[in-house]
Amino acid sequence: MVDKIKIESLSCYYDKKCVLESLNLNIVKNEILGVIGPASSGKTTFLRTLNRMNDFDITYSRKGNVYLDGDNIFDIDAENLRRRVGMLFAMPIPLPMSIYDNITYAPKRLGLVTKKVDLDNMVESVLRDSSLWDEVKDRLAASAMKMSGGQQQRLCIARVLAINPEVILFDEPCLSLDPISISKVEELMVELKKKYTIVLVTNNVKQASRISDRTAFFLMGKLIEVDKTDKIFVSPKEKKTEDYITGRFG
Amino acid sequence: MKKALDFVVEKIVFICGIASIIFVALIFFFLFKEGLSFLKDFGVLKFIGGRFWYPSSSPTLFGVLPLIVGSVFVTIGACVIAVPIGVMTALFISEIVPKGIRDILKSLVELIAAIPSVVVGFIGMITLVPLVKGIFNLPTGLTVFSSSIMLAFMAIPTIVTISEDAIRSVPWQYKQGALALGATKWQTLRRIILKAAMPGIIAAVMLGIGRVIGETMVVMMITGNSAHIPHSIFEPARTMTATIAAEMGETVRGGMHYKSLFAIGLVLFLITFFINFIADLFLGKNKNT
Amino acid sequence: MIKLNPKLSQKFSYMFLCLAAFLATTPVILIVFIIIKNGTSVISWEFLLSMPKDGMRGGGILPAILGTLSIVSCAIMITLPVGVCAAIYLNEYAKDDIFTRIIKLAIINLAGIPSVVYGLFGLGIFVMFLKLGVSIIAGALTLSIMELPVIITTARSSLDSVPYSFREASLSLGVSRWQTIRHVVLPNAIPGILTGTILSIARISGETAPILFTAAAFYVPHLPHSIFDQVMTLPYHLYIISTQIPNMPKNIIYGTALVLLMMVLTMSCIAIFARIYFRKRRKW
């Protein structure tokens, strides 16, 4: 087991308010790490720190360090970091352009792929990887805004795959989806962990128990417990964890 | 390379961003520079309090009072007409008519704003002025009254558009609540919506005043341009704007008369600055509620 | 005081409101009607494409049309890039601090300065201080500063209407800030910026006071050669022939007003319809 990400005493603040307190956590290569916890437990802040999307919030500040393959992510270029650490949002956000352009958008801007043939191949392969190819192969030029919610979310996954990241962060990716789409996205995540390291923030405890290898429980900005998923769900060490996953609060 | 581009772009847009500050400062500086040297030579009190504007007699007199009074007269006249009509139109457009008619009315109001002021002045000259002269049996139709009417027409788009925004941004719950208590739609409009939208409507009126006080061509063409303090609205008058526009052509560049017009410009600048500042305060208030 | 039945009072009030709306909107129709009715008779290619004759009492208005077109196109070429960049700064880069508030206050203040004061300023800085003389460029610069707040405000609201999530999606893929603006935000804001620009062009085409002392000439016997020439302009020409020239044939005045009005109204209508069209077609 190789650690992909190492988080060392990370604390995050909005204005002066501490939302995440001295977090120490390692994320293992090719695992799905589930992050569960009630609202305002710091999950999303944690996730958005990992690819520095919080940089745009001027009220945000932090202490501590995060290492990606040994590189301190706060020392490397933020745009390069975001290329290596892709992100999916709670609501699917297709850009207002065609399906094809949505996928080629970032690789073109970043100069990863430039030739038309390579772009075509890349589009096909990422759409296959996100199991969307059969549904959309005949209408790649159609607007992505016209797809269903589940399709849009898988398109967003394809779009992230197109920049060839190492880690993919999922921020409650199934919040707005129907049960069938959810199971498709979950299958996809399990498939994806072969190639990528995945962090899944979710409000849905069952989802974490279904697909994550390890699960971390956050409460009020603190990491209460992290362990193998079956252990957490069968015999948690902490009382609070047990209360949460058995539905006594949250 | 990519980084460098981002850096350069950020600097360019920043410079354009602060351009507005630079321009306001420059405008103030140029008005102040010429205006101040005039005020030093002529005297502030003689300028502000002087009742006679005789820039080409000898000795020259630069009393700005009749011009200020002229501006104030036409502005008040225009407001008396434009404010009720404008606010009522805004109510009508935003709360009463169906969407189709609303779009047509709004487009018409917007077209008023598009008509060049010189065209409004010309139409006023050719239709309204003889009418006023005939009806009230006056020696001339070029009066404060005529220009108030035309200026009211020009202020209406400003008042309608901004009041309408304010009325429409009143939360619909207010309305629902009042209607649910059995108030008629009109009672709701008058007692609830109008009250809640009041800061925005005040801002609209202020901006309308700003528009009228700064208007030049219309007042120059139909107010008669006589620089004495008018005793009634059926007499000619002369505004600050018209004075600048009409006399700048005859002045010697850099001379006393030339500088005096900059001093008037400075007075106008300060008045409109104040008006817009107040309007902005009220607009900000409207947003917070 | 007699207390009216609420239903009845509602009816009366609605009638008043309707009357107000009628009073507010009919004059514009009336004005357009009067000018079209009296002006159409003189409109001909000769009127549009020839020089004035007999001390303006005959001939055409070509130099005035060309003068207005050249000043307005120069002005918009200056103000559009500056205004859009300023809007990008305010909407995409600026922090919400005191400095930004000062910029916004400056913009509001610029928008409220009377047009004739812009004329004074243009005379002071461009004509006299920078020694550009009374010229197309001096007038265009004056107009461009006057129109700057309008362009900034419309461009800002167009940028602002592009959902923030689009920016977030693009940034999360490692795309840089400027590329995000250039490829995601701007393309979706262009329709709004475009309609705002057309409205601005319409507005400055009709302005007289700012160019009175900076660009406009009573009469120029030739067409403009360079941006350092004085020119005749349509609004100023209309002012001149309707107030300064005795025994001016009325139909020529009406004709000139008609040309100016049509120029301005056509552009405004295009902008209004374009806005409705783009709103319906919006993708999000």
Side-chain angles (χ1 to χ4, degrees):
Chain A
M1 290 222 296
V2 188
D3 284 341
K4 183 73 186 171
I5 297 177
K6 268 171 98 104
I7 297 145
E8 283 178 2
S9 55
L10 177 72
S11 298
C12 301
Y13 310 84
Y14 289 112
D15 285 323
K16 290 282 174 289
K17 192 172 167 277
C18 180
V19 288
L20 198 62
E21 210 180 315
S22 44
L23 171 72
N24 289 293
L25 182 64
N26 292 350
I27 300 169
V28 181
K29 202 167 180 214
N30 297 96
E31 75 166 346
I32 297 181
L33 174 73
V35 178
I36 58 172
S40 73
S41 56
K43 299 172 297 193
T44 299
T45 307
F46 161 66
L47 204 66
R48 291 170 70 92
T49 301
L50 292 185
N51 69 347
R52 290 178 59 185
M53 282 302 281
N54 274 340
D55 286 13
F56 300 107
D57 190 333
I58 51 164
T59 61
Y60 170 85
S61 60
R62 47 116 204 127
K63 275 192 282 201
N65 287 311
V66 177
Y67 299 93
L68 174 68
D69 283 340
D71 302 329
N72 189 338
I73 64 163
F74 303 110
D75 292 338
I76 58 179
D77 175 47
E79 281 145 27
N80 194 25
L81 171 73
R82 290 185 201 115
R83 214 241 345 114
R84 291 170 66 187
V85 182
M87 182 164 208
L88 272 116
F89 301 92
M91 301 291 285
I93 314 169
L95 294 170
M97 39 180 92
S98 72
I99 296 174
Y100 184 92
D101 288 343
N102 256 282
I103 296 170
T104 55
Y105 167 74
K108 269 189 192 163
R109 301 284 87 79
L110 300 174
L112 301 176
V113 190
T114 43
K115 273 198 227 123
K116 173 88 176 97
V117 197
D118 298 340
L119 283 169
D120 289 348
N121 289 336
M122 189 266 303
V123 169
E124 178 170 350
S125 92
V126 296
L127 280 175
R128 281 189 193 286
D129 285 350
S130 55
S131 61
L132 199 58
W133 175 250
D134 294 328
E135 289 165 60
V136 301
K137 65 176 179 229
D138 300 323
R139 49 187 185 109
L140 292 176
S143 166
M145 311 301 276
K146 293 206 177 90
M147 304 166 89
S148 75
Q151 287 177 327
Q152 287 186 346
Q153 196 59 300
R154 278 179 286 147
L155 176 69
C156 292
I157 296 179
R159 195 171 63 189
V160 169
L161 299 184
I163 54 170
N164 197 19
E166 299 158 30
V167 181
I168 306 178
L169 311 172
F170 288 84
D171 187 2
E172 303 184 30
C174 298
L175 202 63
S176 59
L177 302 186
D178 60 284
I180 298 175
S181 302
I182 291 178
S183 72
K184 276 190 183 163
V185 171
E186 286 181 2
E187 276 169 35
L188 196 54
M189 282 193 256
V190 174
E191 194 58 36
L192 290 175
K193 78 172 179 185
K194 290 175 193 157
K195 281 202 238 170
Y196 310 94
T197 305
I198 292 177
V199 183
L200 167 68
V201 160
T202 179
N203 263 328
N204 183 341
V205 177
K206 294 223 177 71
Q207 183 172 52
S209 74
R210 281 195 295 269
I211 59 172
S212 59
D213 299 300
R214 289 194 308 149
T215 299
F217 174 57
F218 279 45
L219 182 66
M220 310 278 285
K222 278 186 195 136
L223 173 65
I224 303 296
E225 169 164 22
V226 57
D227 212 329
K228 288 257 169 356
T229 297
D230 32 14
K231 264 197 187 153
I232 286 265
F233 281 89
V234 178
S235 54
K237 287 190 206 95
E238 300 284 332
K239 177 84 173 62
K240 286 177 191 155
T241 316
E242 192 183 341
D243 287 350
Y244 181 70
I245 58 180
T246 53
R248 247 167 255 167
F249 74 92
Chain B
M1 167 56 203
K2 203 183 80 190
K3 279 268 127 181
L5 183 67
D6 260 66
F7 181 79
V8 171
V9 167
E10 198 170 336
K11 291 291 165 264
I12 290 174
V13 297
F14 174 72
I15 292 168
C16 293
I18 58 171
S20 303
I21 299 183
I22 297 172
F23 289 140
V24 172
L26 273 178
I27 291 172
F28 183 74
F29 173 77
F30 269 88
L31 295 176
F32 197 73
K33 190 186 80 169
E34 303 285 4
L36 195 70
S37 82
F38 164 79
L39 290 176
K40 249 189 206 151
D41 290 353
F42 189 73
V44 182
L45 281 180
K46 268 168 80 191
F47 175 67
I48 295 291
R51 300 189 50 190
F52 301 99
W53 182 265
Y54 295 141
S56 42
S57 71
S58 141
T60 50
L61 284 174
F62 297 101
V64 81
L65 200 59
L67 311 180
I68 294 182
V69 172
S71 282
V72 169
F73 258 53
V74 293
T75 306
I76 292 176
C79 282
V80 167
I81 303 165
V83 171
I85 293 183
V87 175
M88 279 158 81
T89 305
L91 266 181
F92 188 68
I93 290 179
S94 57
E95 295 291 330
I96 294 173
V97 293
K99 196 177 174 305
I101 301 176
R102 174 163 77 214
D103 287 345
I104 296 172
L105 285 177
K106 279 182 80 167
S107 307
L108 272 178
V109 168
E110 218 169 317
L111 283 188
I112 303 177
I115 297 184
S117 55
V118 62
V119 173
V120 177
F122 167 62
I123 285 288
M125 235 172 69
I126 226 150
T127 58
L128 187 69
V129 168
L131 208 66
V132 168
K133 183 176 183 227
I135 291 177
F136 298 101
N137 198 14
L138 301 168
T140 170
L142 301 168
T143 60
V144 171
F145 181 67
S146 327
S147 73
S148 291
I149 293 179
M150 290 325 265
L151 287 173
F153 172 67
M154 300 191 75
I156 278 175
T158 311
I159 298 180
V160 172
T161 332
I162 296 169
S163 307
E164 205 229 332
D165 274 352
I167 292 168
R168 296 242 308 221
S169 63
V170 174
W172 60 269
Q173 288 94 331
Y174 287 23
K175 205 162 106 186
Q176 294 272 306
L179 288 173
L181 290 172
T184 63
K185 206 172 168 198
W186 168 243
Q187 286 170 327
T188 316
L189 273 186
R190 198 166 49 118
R191 305 235 173 99
I192 310 289
I193 296 188
L194 212 52
K195 208 169 173 187
M198 202 37 91
I201 293 175
I202 294 174
V205 172
M206 295 306 279
L207 291 174
I209 292 174
R211 176 98 177 77
V212 171
I213 221 167
E215 175 48 48
T216 311
M217 298 316 286
V218 171
V219 290
M220 186 152 79
M221 290 164 91
I222 60 176
T223 324
N225 286 338
S226 103
H228 73 280
I229 296 176
H231 299 290
S232 87
I233 54 168
F234 295 110
E235 280 178 33
R238 169 177 247 194
T239 67
M240 293 184 278
T241 50
T243 307
I244 298 173
E247 292 179 5
M248 188 48 93
E250 313 154 5
T251 62
V252 180
R253 297 290 141 98
M256 190 79 159
H257 188 190
Y258 171 88
K259 286 178 177 167
S260 74
L261 298 180
F262 275 83
I264 299 178
L266 186 63
V267 173
L268 268 172
F269 176 89
L270 294 175
I271 292 174
T272 50
F273 185 93
F274 181 70
I275 289 175
N276 281 288
F277 186 71
I278 304 272
D280 185 45
L281 286 184
F282 277 108
L283 276 182
K285 211 172 176 183
N286 208 45
K287 253 171 221 148
N288 294 336
T289 47
Chain C
M1 205 178 92
I2 314 155
K3 197 115 172 94
L4 274 174
N5 160 339
K7 279 261 153 40
L8 203 63
S9 103
Q10 165 153 323
K11 211 165 240 170
F12 270 121
S13 323
Y14 278 20
M15 266 166 56
F16 266 112
L17 294 190
C18 187
L19 182 71
F22 179 80
L23 282 177
T25 48
T26 33
V28 60
I29 302 171
L30 217 61
I31 288 179
V32 174
F33 175 75
I34 292 173
I35 289 180
I36 290 179
K37 184 175 151 258
N38 295 297
T40 333
S41 61
V42 289
I43 301 291
S44 65
W45 287 117
E46 210 217 318
F47 181 68
L48 295 175
L49 298 178
S50 64
M51 304 291 290
K53 282 191 300 227
D54 312 329
M56 323 258 213
R57 290 186 193 85
I61 52 168
L62 180 67
I65 295 178
L66 285 183
T68 290
L69 289 181
S70 49
I71 290 186
V72 168
S73 49
C74 273
I76 209 74
M77 278 192 300
I78 301 165
T79 194
L80 187 61
V82 177
V84 171
C85 284
I88 290 177
Y89 173 74
L90 284 172
N91 209 57
E92 310 291 330
Y93 288 95
K95 298 186 189 86
D96 191 18
D97 55 11
I98 293 183
F99 184 64
T100 307
R101 269 203 61 80
I102 294 176
I103 296 181
K104 286 180 187 164
L105 195 66
I107 292 169
I108 290 165
N109 185 32
L110 270 187
I113 295 176
S115 51
V116 71
V117 175
Y118 277 103
L120 278 182
F121 170 64
L123 172 66
I125 187 169
F126 301 124
V127 178
M128 307 289 283
F129 184 72
L130 296 176
K131 300 197 171 60
L132 295 171
V134 175
S135 60
I136 293 178
I137 185 69
L141 284 165
T142 310
L143 284 177
S144 69
I145 295 177
M146 190 182 90
E147 207 52 22
L148 190 63
V150 181
I151 294 276
I152 294 178
T153 313
T154 48
R156 253 200 89 188
S157 69
S158 313
L159 292 171
D160 204 37
S161 71
V162 179
Y164 183 73
S165 59
F166 290 175
R167 297 174 177 81
E168 214 168 36
S170 170
L171 291 167
S172 78
L173 292 164
V175 176
S176 76
R177 221 165 168 173
W178 166 240
Q179 284 182 315
T180 299
I181 294 167
R182 163 79 183 71
H183 294 279
V184 174
V185 182
L186 270 183
N188 289 293
I190 287 283
I193 296 176
L194 209 67
T195 32
T197 308
I198 300 172
L199 278 178
S200 287
I201 294 175
R203 201 174 86 110
I204 53 180
S205 308
E207 279 294 344
T208 320
I211 51 173
L212 272 180
F213 344 117
T214 53
F218 190 84
Y219 175 68
V220 181
H222 57 79
L223 299 177
H225 297 303
S226 82
I227 54 169
F228 298 106
D229 280 1
Q230 284 191 43
V231 280
M232 297 170 68
T233 75
L234 267 181
Y236 186 55
H237 187 66
L238 177 59
Y239 169 68
I240 295 281
I241 58 178
S242 58
T243 59
Q244 315 274 306
I245 296 181
N247 305 324
M248 185 71 205
K250 280 277 182 296
N251 59 344
I252 291 191
I253 311 182
Y254 275 117
T256 310
L258 180 61
V259 173
L260 176 59
L261 193 67
M262 281 306 127
M263 241 167 92
V264 168
L265 287 190
T266 317
M267 280 187 282
S268 303
C269 287
I270 290 175
I272 290 172
F273 284 122
R275 190 170 52 207
I276 294 170
Y277 172 77
F278 284 128
R279 248 181 219 159
K280 279 195 180 138
R281 252 195 32 165
R282 196 184 275 183
K283 296 181 201 128
W284 61 89

